[in-house]
Amino acid sequence: MLKELEYKAISLGFDCFGITKPNLSESVRNNLSIFVSAKMHGDMQWIEDKIDFRNNPRMLWPEVNSVIVLGINYFYGQDPLYELTNKRNGYISSYSRGLDYHDVIKKKLKLFTEWSYKKYGGKYKIFVDTAPVMEKPIAVEAGLGWQGKHTNLISKQLGNWFFLASIFTNLSVQDKKNRKIKDHCGSCTSCINICPTNAIIEPYKLDANKCISYLTIEYKQHIPVKYRTKIGNRIYGCDDCLAVCPWNKFAKIANESNFFPLFDLTKRDLRELLYLDDHNFRELFRKTSIKRIGRDRFIRNVLVAIGNSGDVDVIKDVEFFILDKSPLVRAMAIWAIFQVSDKKYFKLLRNQYIKHEKDLWVLSEWFRSYE
Ligand code: SF4
């Protein structure tokens, strides 16, 4: 049965397969408690609220007896570190340039469970990053790879570029071989060294508050000043710690073409992105996972990147956003102008626009450390 399940998964386009019991070790549970009590999850309240579910898959579904873990490659030959050098283009994380992975993977999981139900009966629940499931430690138990010092999963066959999904079933399927892979990071610290914000505070420990992926995707507030210049031209996520990992030498081009960029998201001019209104934002990104952050947060990120571009020609465009309806956008427009413009000109604009501003945070952007 195990082999047949694996063959089916591979025939549906998954690249790796494993199966394990729905148990998490004490050290995994402790690490999660430390992570949450130290507030390293930032504003992701859903992590804190569902900590018991994360720690115990049986709380999520009491009938679960086995967890099938699947990995799927999304590498299409991208070189994130090279793309970051073009400051006038916005950098979008590799995983989000194709069709929304939730949709692509869910379809495959449904086909898998329909087939398995017909053949073996049983009940199933499918998860792709959508429920309080500790996918990475479970994948380690199932033998898909190890959690590197950057805390992401690394596969000896795929490197760093793959998605994880899991299927809970009440069937008892056991893999008698222990496929758990030992840690192969060795003395390497490349991911720790490259992180622009030092978010990997020690090997295997990530402070999400500092992580550019968190700041540009999950974080709903004004991006703290101390991280803005470090964000560079990253407007949605960051791939640095994955891209630098030497295990990527084993990465192969993905078979699943739905993860390839839908349109050229490797070369998006910042000025062009700046003018996306709600409708055009939704239209441009409707098939991707980028849509979930909404136009205001996206434009906030674009403005941070413009502030880091050194492109003085874009100031006139940015001025238009000083009166935007969103305080997130107005605040970052002010910051971006301050970054790229002459200080006399900045003060001129401040005198002109400040009377229109009522939001305290945005007002503080006009004054913070600019005197
Ligand atoms: S970059 Fe080095 S330390 Fe970081 S995850 Fe990869 S192998 Fe491990």
Side-chain angles (χ1 to χ4, degrees), residues 222 273-278 294-300 303 317-334 337 353 356-359 362 366:
H222 299 282
L273 292 170
L274 189 58
Y275 285 104
L276 291 174
D277 59 14
D278 280 322
R295 175 263 178 192
D296 293 349
R297 268 195 276 164
F298 186 79
I299 301 301
R300 170 200 67 180
L303 286 162
D317 296 86
V318 176
E319 263 183 59
F320 177 73
F321 295 87
I322 295 174
L323 297 175
D324 194 85
K325 65 182 175 21
S326 161
L328 282 182
V329 170
R330 297 200 301 276
M332 262 344 86
I334 296 165
I337 292 170
Y353 285 107
H356 301 290
E357 189 55 65
K358 298 280 178 288
D359 183 287
V362 183
W366 279 120

Side-chain angles (χ1 to χ4, degrees), residues 14 57 60-61 64 67-70 102 105-106 109 113 124-135 138 164-169:
F14 291 102
L60 199 57
W61 188 39
V64 60
V67 183
I68 298 164
V69 190
L70 302 151
H102 300 96
I105 298 175
K106 255 187 209 157
L109 294 178
T113 53
Y124 304 85
K125 296 216 181 285
I126 60 175
F127 302 105
V128 194
D129 216 7
T130 44
V133 177
M134 294 274 275
E135 277 162 340
I138 291 175
L164 284 175
S166 54
I167 301 172
F168 285 20
T169 175

Side-chain angles (χ1 to χ4, degrees), residues 148-150 154 185 188-191 241 244-247:
K149 289 178 189 169
H150 51 23
I154 305 173
C185 282
C188 173
T189 53
S190 297
C191 53
C241 66
V244 78
C245 181
W247 285 94

Side-chain angles (χ1 to χ4, degrees), residues 13 19 75 97 125 142 184 193 286 306 329:
I19 199 152
F75 180 64
R97 295 174 185 176
K125 296 216 181 285
H184 287 283
N193 302 340
R286 84 196 137 86
I306 287 176
V329 170

